[in-house]
Structure formats: C-alpha cells, structure tokens
Amino acid sequence: QVQLVESGGGLVQAGGSLRLSCAASGRTFSGYLMGWFRQAPGKERAFVAAINWNGGSTYYGDSVKGRFTISRDNAKNTVSLQMNNLKPEDTAVYYCAARQGAWGVRTTLYDYWGQGTQVTVSS
C-alpha cells in the first residue's frame, strides 16, 4: 500500500504560478512511477505529467508542456508539480498517483491515488 497526500492548491490569477506537492508513505517510494492528473467539473480525469523512478525521465500532456514541471525527491518521498503561466482552463482538482510499471497516461494504469487538491485560476 502507498498513501498519497497532495497539498499546495489554491486560487491564483491567470499568468500566476503554484507548486503542488504530494507526500507518499508506505512502500518504497522510489519503486513507483509517479503521475499527476486533473479533473475539471463535468470532465473526465486527464493526464498531466509523469516522472520515472529516479527522476531521469519525464512526460507531459500537450496542454501543459512548457508551463508545468514535474520533479521528485526520493529521499523525502515527495513528488512536485511546478505550474507556471497558469490559465483559467487549468482549473481542476489535481491528483497525485503512483504506478508500478512502465509509462502510462491512462488513469486505469495507476495503482494508488491521493484525495486531490483544488486549483482555481481566475481570469
């Protein structure tokens, strides 16, 4: 079992920045591919970014490339999402997720999920 707890969400104006964090506990954190997803009202949960076990490889959804950066600190069991140049369409609940396996962008591939943190971007 892996427990994930997100933090760092809030209200920000368009063009601003936020940094989300996800703290993991339980099984060996470094053994997991970590991902961030988001879900806007009335929409399906969508892939945002993922990072491999040692942070050496990252992958981003098209809508956030060049604006968001995912990183991890295995010594602290945390994964972060730095979000810059935020847009109103980034408004959503953001979820941290863990996967034992290869790269994946589908929600069904991830084994553990946090409870989510709300990000609201005003225009």
Side-chain angles (χ1 to χ4, degrees):
Q1 284 284 350
V2 174
Q3 293 78 42
L4 303 172
V5 179
E6 303 95 336
S7 61
L11 174 64
V12 64
Q13 289 188 332
S17 297
L18 278 176
R19 186 177 181 87
L20 305 183
S21 293
C22 173
S25 60
R27 290 180 178 266
T28 305
F29 176 70
S30 61
Y32 290 85
L33 175 78
M34 298 300 298
W36 284 97
F37 290 76
R38 66 187 182 186
Q39 188 166 18
K43 295 188 177 181
E44 293 186 352
R45 196 169 297 189
F47 173 78
V48 173
I51 189 166
N52 75 330
W53 72 276
N54 67 354
S57 295
T58 57
Y59 185 69
Y60 297 92
D62 289 341
S63 62
V64 306
K65 282 180 183 176
R67 299 188 298 123
F68 291 11
T69 302
I70 188 172
S71 60
R72 68 190 295 163
D73 185 338
N74 287 343
K76 296 181 179 179
N77 285 5
T78 59
V79 59
S80 299
L81 186 68
Q82 177 67 42
M83 306 185 294
N84 297 329
N85 190 23
L86 282 160
K87 304 175 181 180
E89 52 264 42
D90 294 318
T91 295
V93 177
Y94 283 72
Y95 297 90
C96 172
R99 163 171 165 73
Q100 278 191 307
W103 291 102
V105 302
R106 299 198 311 269
T107 58
T108 53
L109 294 175
Y110 285 76
D111 304 297
Y112 303 101
W113 293 85
Q115 83 290 349
T117 185
Q118 176 70 47
V119 171
T120 303
V121 184
S122 63
S123 57

